[in-house]
Amino acid sequence: MGLLIAAYASLAAWLWLTLAQGMFWRTDTRLPPRTAPARWPSVAVVVPARDEAEVLPRSLPSLLAQDYPGRAGIVLVDDGSTDGTGALARRLAAEQPGLPLTVLSPSDPPPDWTGKLWALRHGITHVTQGVPEAPEYLLLTDADIAHEPDSLRELVAAATTGGLDLVSQMARLRVVSVWERLVVPAFVYFFAQLYPFRRINRPGARTAAAAGGCVLLRTEAALRAGVPDSIRQAVIDDVALARAVQRSGGRIWLGLAERVDSVRPYPALADLWRMVSRSAYAQLRHQPLLLAGTAAGLVLVYLVPPAALLAGLASGRTAVAVAGGLAWLLMAGTYLPMLRYYRQPAVLAPLLPFTALLYLLMTVDSAVQHYRGRGAAWKGRTYARPSDA
């Protein structure tokens, strides 16, 4: 009886997710309709970088080569790198004519700041204070993100056409290794399930999120929201940024990218594990009850369907098998559009329960590392939860 109840509960959850969770499974949310503005506003591209010498030769040239009709420049903030990131950036800029590049090297972040946000603060301050004319927009992009030559132009056109204060695209992550194929599309699928793009993009929406690798932000909106100072402790800074802009009255938009790509490799499971576990518990606000609820929810939604189907078939319990099979079918069906977006075979769709189990283990490990004093660790830095900072 217990398995039958769980199977029906899982099926009900999948019916609700499929029909009522903002059509999260659709992947056609791309840059909205746009036209070229009569006057192209000025833009400063701010790139926080810490030990990025491995990926910079594939990402920075794409920014230098931006075909933008207005005034634009790049500020790369070298956040205490030990691998020659700053010197490499200067050399790349000297070798390739394009947008002007400035490299800054701030001091170490104070205890109540994350490194990335401290670097962003340094870059934003540099381009907005003590200058004759501050840029009208800021493009905040990570050092591992490569942009097609028209990326900045299209982002600005979308913002000006739609009267948007924040336009963010979730870069297409690298999918080459076996583990990347198994884990990466699911990462974006789970993110969209938590933060349905269509729900975020509605006027007056309460749901807010952004993808930190590519955020075009109106400078006036940033100042009004007090960012990055107001979110200086945020480990999941992109969602915190979007919430701050939205709460201050700004309009935000988030969608999938077509011509913006992450070049950072995650070839082994251990690489992906670190990527997820470093912030998973922070997403749950470091709350044990939220962790327990999340674990229970993942088990019910993702693990019960295959277990119910197999157990039902083995024991001849038709109702259990049918409920589990239908739930698993809905799960796989809603995952197919994301697999197509990442150009992956449909055969991976039924494997989503296994990937969800991996994410559950990563989340639990994130909590364990937090209580061991190693939570939210990234590139030699470990961040306490905000109340402990």
Side-chain angles (χ1 to χ4, degrees):
M1 180 62 69
L3 185 57
L4 178 62
I5 293 173
Y8 275 113
S10 184
L11 177 58
W14 275 108
L15 287 170
W16 181 83
L17 286 169
T18 304
L19 301 175
Q21 184 61 359
M23 297 294 179
F24 77 94
W25 43 270
R26 295 184 58 172
T27 56
D28 56 352
T29 303
R30 312 296 170 86
L31 280 178
R34 55 207 176 274
T35 57
R39 180 189 65 83
W40 289 94
S42 55
V43 182
V45 182
V46 182
V47 185
R50 178 174 171 84
D51 292 335
E52 299 287 9
E54 178 185 1
V55 298
L56 214 56
R58 287 172 286 169
S59 60
L60 185 58
S62 73
L63 290 173
L64 296 168
Q66 285 301 298
D67 178 19
Y68 186 67
R71 178 169 62 89
I74 304 169
V75 176
L76 185 140
V77 186
D78 182 10
D79 179 22
S81 299
T82 59
D83 65 351
T85 290
L88 175 60
R90 294 186 181 94
R91 185 165 70 251
L92 291 170
E95 293 171 353
Q96 176 179 324
L99 298 185
L101 172 72
T102 301
V103 177
L104 304 178
S105 299
S107 58
D108 288 338
D112 59 341
W113 281 81
T114 66
K116 178 180 177 180
L117 290 172
W118 180 247
L120 284 176
R121 183 183 191 274
H122 222 76
I124 293 172
T125 299
H126 177 79
V127 299
T128 58
Q129 297 183 16
V131 295
E133 185 180 354
E136 295 164 80
Y137 285 89
L138 304 164
L139 175 60
L140 313 179
T141 185
D142 289 346
D144 63 340
I145 302 299
H147 296 253
E148 291 295 325
D150 62 349
S151 175
L152 179 57
R153 188 171 68 242
E154 294 300 312
L155 284 165
V156 171
T160 56
T161 301
L164 300 168
D165 295 286
L166 183 152
V167 177
S168 179
Q169 288 185 292
M170 178 163 283
R172 199 189 302 260
L173 305 176
R174 197 188 94 131
V175 179
V176 177
S177 72
V178 171
W179 287 110
E180 286 172 336
R181 293 169 185 268
L182 189 64
V183 174
V184 166
F187 175 82
V188 183
Y189 174 87
F190 293 145
F191 182 92
Q193 195 175 81
L194 286 173
Y195 305 104
F197 298 161
R198 278 174 169 73
R199 191 168 291 172
I200 291 169
N201 299 339
R202 293 173 187 163
R206 294 183 179 181
T207 305
C214 178
V215 177
L216 182 75
L217 178 62
R218 193 190 302 271
T219 305
E220 180 184 348
L223 297 175
R224 186 173 64 243
V227 296
D229 297 59
S230 62
I231 59 170
R232 60 185 178 274
Q233 295 177 313
V235 175
I236 307 176
D237 50 85
D238 43 13
V239 174
L241 171 64
R243 287 173 176 166
V245 172
Q246 186 189 73
R247 287 169 180 167
S248 64
R251 284 196 59 197
I252 66 175
W253 184 94
L254 171 64
L256 293 172
E258 294 178 307
R259 295 160 63 78
V260 178
D261 300 283
S262 172
V263 298
R264 188 182 302 283
Y266 294 98
L269 177 59
D271 303 311
L272 290 158
W273 194 288
R274 284 191 295 269
M275 186 265 289
V276 174
S277 65
R278 70 184 178 91
S279 60
Y281 198 40
Q283 177 71 51
L284 301 177
R285 301 197 293 275
H286 304 100
Q287 296 294 325
L289 286 178
L290 285 178
L291 174 64
T294 298
L298 285 171
V299 169
L300 175 67
V301 174
Y302 289 99
L303 303 187
V304 164
L309 175 62
L310 297 177
L313 291 175
S315 62
R317 300 168 67 186
T318 303
V320 172
V322 169
L326 288 175
W328 198 357
L329 185 63
L330 285 172
M331 182 196 314
T334 58
Y335 191 36
L336 281 174
M338 190 61 69
L339 288 174
R340 285 197 295 267
Y341 171 74
Y342 272 97
R343 306 181 184 95
Q344 297 305 303
V347 70
L348 293 177
L351 300 181
L352 189 57
F354 173 71
T355 306
L357 175 61
L358 288 177
Y359 274 91
L360 172 57
L361 296 176
M362 294 173 190
T363 303
V364 172
D365 181 59
S366 179
V368 170
Q369 296 306 318
H370 170 78
Y371 290 112
R372 287 181 175 177
R374 299 195 297 268
W378 185 244
K379 295 190 176 181
R381 290 178 177 146
T382 300
Y383 301 111
R385 57 179 163 180
S387 60
D388 295 339

